[in-house]
Amino acid sequence: MPGTLEPYHSGESKVQPRTRSLSWREALPVLHDRLLKLKEMFTSKFGSLPKFYVRAPGRVNIIGEHIDYCGYSVLPMAIEQDILIAVEPVKTHTLHLANTNPLYPDFSTSASNIQIDKTKPLWHNYFLCGFKGIQEHFGLSKLTGMNCLVDGTIPPSSGLSSSSALVCCAGLVTLTVLGMNLSKVELAEICAKSEHYIGTEGGGMDQSISFLAEEGTAKLIEFNPLRTTDVKLPSGAVFVIANSCVEMNKAATSHFNIRVMECRLAAKLLAKYKNLQWDGILRLEEVQTKLGVSLEEMLLVIEDALHSEPYSPEEICRYLGISLEDLQTQILSPNTQDGESAGMLIFKLYQRAKHVYSEAARVLQFKKICEEAPDNTIQLLGELMNQSHMSCRDMYECSCPELDQLVDTCRKFGAQGSRLTGAGWGGCTVSIVPADKLPSFLANVHEAYYQRSDGSLAPNKQSLFATKPGGGALVFLEA
Ligand code: GLA
């Protein structure tokens, strides 16, 4: 059995498991070979041996897109692809970071003066987020230095959470170097918060599944407080990931943060419409909870309270009775308020709120169908995934032509449902495929999407693959 952190089931125990370390000789054969290779590379790079290794997985979100930061539950699973880091603590207070991928240059900095450049999402900044998060959690100013060699197998900018896996891995590396302990829930919360140092205002889905995942089960992740419930996926179905080959780094553009702000503004306008104290409200879920109504009823409230034409900043200010300056400094986040853009932005509050409340309902329906397992389970889950994609495309506008084409292709060749996964605007799709159709599905999608006659795509073996729920973050000690 590979070394694992103890599983955490919400509700089963009040004591949350602490991280623990096991020998890396116990790792699965594939991981064992990678660890050996990493050890050799580390030795030739730093001239010494690593003391331990940390692994944190990427994830695929099955359903529940762009709703974690609105306070709603999501339903991801960890994938096999991961970030693996070999580590040696040193006495110099210098952090040396290297990457096995030559595209990512070495980086060194003083461990007591961590600067994260929000203007350029360079690879090492994600490591620094995890490092700084743990450092700040324990209020430590003078941290020990370390040599780290990072190896990643998650395709970058593909919606499979390569960046959060690096933040989580770095957080667990730092915790281990310090010899401290935290529960997986605490680690997930710290890493979710510290990833904001890079400038994107993500929710907590990626970090939570990276720490709390367990092999063989997807997870319903609920927030405030963070907790997870196992969701057993139907045995006759396979989940297939397909990369559109359009790269999207959410920290490099303002799309992501603009959506977060639109949801925040929609929550405030809905609260004001319903005579709630709107200024303290940040999330759409808070409006629902304060009103004590169902998600379906919230969809009706939207119809009365919001119009489908985009809102200008001036209209929002008039409605809330605030100045443009208040809007810019108190409600919008840095990369949505910069330059001339704030005055030029338009906010599609009706569409965004409609997506969020309907998607939140789809997540609950998905879980219920998995639990009840009717005869047509796969078909029903597929329909929910198709509806989710439509809502992401039309209401949330986070798809792109290639993703739309790819989901159509996947449905055409046997997927019961297919949708974009992760932040969108590029990256991957996830499809639910009946197990007996898998071989023909893979062959046909490969031919139709990846073997383009113009040769414009450069797919590799990571472009189209079946996946199953993997385990969460681990520490391996040098054995
Ligand atoms: C990114 C964020 C997540 C989540 C998804 C969209 O992966 O990090 O928190 O918001 O986008 O569902």
Side-chain angles (χ1 to χ4, degrees):
M1 198 195 76
T4 58
L5 305 176
E6 282 167 9
Y8 167 64
H9 298 280
S10 63
E12 271 188 22
S13 155
K14 288 224 165 66
V15 184
Q16 293 168 2
R18 310 265 138 186
T19 56
R20 75 186 158 99
S21 318
L22 291 177
S23 150
W24 67 269
R25 290 201 197 287
E26 295 168 84
L28 291 170
V30 181
L31 192 54
H32 185 271
D33 289 354
R34 248 175 94 208
L35 286 165
L36 263 182
K37 231 159 129 196
L38 197 59
K39 180 177 176 176
E40 274 170 29
M41 285 179 82
F42 187 101
T43 314
S44 72
K45 175 96 206 163
F46 295 111
S48 48
L49 284 172
K51 290 285 171 304
F52 66 92
Y53 307 79
V54 175
R55 163 187 192 268
R59 59 99 189 95
V60 59
N61 189 21
I62 301 172
I63 196 158
E65 221 60 83
H66 286 281
I67 58 172
D68 56 350
Y69 51 78
C70 297
Y72 284 111
S73 311
V74 292
L75 213 158
M77 64 184 179
I79 54 174
E80 182 194 325
Q81 289 79 355
D82 62 15
I83 299 283
L84 188 62
I85 307 185
V87 190
E88 179 201 18
V90 294
K91 297 210 164 66
T92 58
H93 299 290
T94 302
L95 190 57
H96 291 287
L97 304 178
N99 200 303
T100 57
N101 184 337
L103 287 176
Y104 303 122
D106 290 3
F107 176 80
S108 295
T109 187
S110 156
S112 45
N113 180 29
I114 299 298
Q115 305 287 337
I116 300 174
D117 182 357
K118 287 189 180 182
T119 61
K120 290 189 211 99
L122 299 172
W123 79 274
H124 61 257
N125 282 327
Y126 293 95
F127 185 101
L128 298 182
C129 285
F131 184 84
K132 191 174 159 100
I134 295 294
Q135 184 181 29
E136 289 189 348
H137 177 80
F138 290 107
L140 302 168
S141 54
K142 222 168 183 306
L143 268 196
T144 167
M146 49 183 152
N147 295 331
C148 293
L149 180 59
V150 178
D151 183 53
T153 55
I154 311 166
S157 305
S158 66
L160 300 179
S161 196
S162 58
S163 32
S164 300
L166 179 50
V167 174
C168 293
C169 214
L172 190 48
V173 162
T174 312
L175 186 76
T176 310
V177 165
L178 290 173
M180 309 287 245
N181 244 318
L182 286 171
S183 73
K184 291 192 251 179
V185 166
E186 286 167 317
L187 269 165
E189 285 177 335
I190 293 167
C191 290
K193 205 168 109 207
S194 65
E195 195 169 326
H196 288 191
Y197 293 134
I198 207 87
T200 37
E201 310 243 341
M205 163 168 69
D206 309 346
Q207 301 80 5
S208 306
I209 194 68
S210 195
F211 283 113
L212 294 158
E214 282 175 85
E215 219 168 309
T217 179
K219 295 275 183 181
L220 179 84
I221 299 181
E222 295 170 86
F223 301 97
N224 315 303
L226 176 58
R227 58 211 185 276
T228 67
T229 310
D230 291 359
V231 177
K232 197 107 204 88
L233 298 171
S235 55
V238 181
F239 288 84
V240 179
I241 295 174
N243 196 335
S244 71
C245 300
V246 176
E247 288 205 0
M248 157 61 188
N249 180 328
K250 63 182 181 300
T253 72
S254 56
H255 299 314
F256 190 90
N257 281 359
I258 289 174
R259 292 294 177 279
V260 178
M261 294 309 123
E262 285 176 309
C263 290
R264 185 176 294 173
L265 289 171
K268 288 182 186 293
L269 263 71
L270 288 172
K272 171 108 201 244
Y273 179 82
K274 283 292 191 183
N275 296 317
L276 298 173
Q277 188 68 39
W278 62 268
D279 43 356
I281 288 199
L282 294 173
R283 293 186 296 264
L284 285 162
E285 174 274 331
E286 292 170 68
V287 184
Q288 187 205 352
T289 304
K290 286 211 157 65
L291 292 177
V293 300
S294 68
L295 287 163
E296 290 67 27
E297 283 168 295
M298 280 314 301
L299 288 168
L300 298 177
V301 173
I302 296 175
E303 298 298 331
D304 294 336
L306 302 175
H307 57 69
S308 60
E309 296 76 32
Y311 286 73
S312 68
E314 289 76 16
E315 184 182 0
I316 289 172
C317 289
R318 261 198 315 276
Y319 191 79
L320 294 177
I322 58 172
S323 68
L324 208 53
E325 199 192 338
D326 289 341
L327 177 70
Q328 286 182 355
T329 55
Q330 288 167 34
I331 304 182
L332 301 184
S333 74
N335 84 356
T336 54
Q337 54 163 266
D338 61 340
E340 66 280 81
S341 57
M344 288 165 58
L345 282 177
I346 50 163
F347 302 100
K348 297 195 179 175
L349 306 188
Y350 169 86
Q351 290 82 348
R352 310 314 182 215
K354 199 165 169 158
H355 166 76
V356 170
Y357 289 126
S358 64
E359 184 77 354
R362 280 187 286 274
V363 170
L364 302 180
Q365 287 164 25
F366 194 100
K367 174 173 178 274
K368 193 157 172 265
I369 294 167
C370 288
E371 282 164 0
E372 291 171 357
D375 287 347
N376 57 345
T377 295
I378 299 181
Q379 183 202 333
L380 294 175
L381 298 182
E383 277 165 18
L384 288 172
M385 290 172 72
N386 288 338
Q387 286 166 16
S388 167
H389 184 76
M390 252 175 359
S391 182
C392 284
R393 183 191 64 199
D394 302 336
M395 293 289 124
Y396 220 70
E397 296 179 280
C398 62
S399 188
C400 67
E402 291 83 353
L403 280 170
D404 295 339
Q405 189 197 335
L406 188 52
V407 297
D408 286 347
T409 306
C410 290
R411 286 177 201 148
K412 180 170 160 200
F413 291 115
Q416 291 284 311
S418 186
R419 56 179 297 277
L420 68 84
T421 184
W425 295 285
C428 290
T429 60
V430 58
S431 304
I432 183 169
V433 181
D436 56 346
K437 293 219 177 102
L438 184 66
S440 65
F441 173 83
L442 292 174
N444 287 326
V445 173
H446 190 266
E447 194 184 327
Y449 189 82
Y450 296 102
Q451 289 180 346
R452 286 191 183 169
S453 48
D454 62 359
S456 59
L457 284 184
N460 56 36
K461 66 178 177 0
Q462 296 224 327
S463 301
L464 179 67
F465 57 94
T467 189
K468 44 183 192 297
L474 305 163
V475 179
F476 292 106
L477 287 182
E478 177 61 40

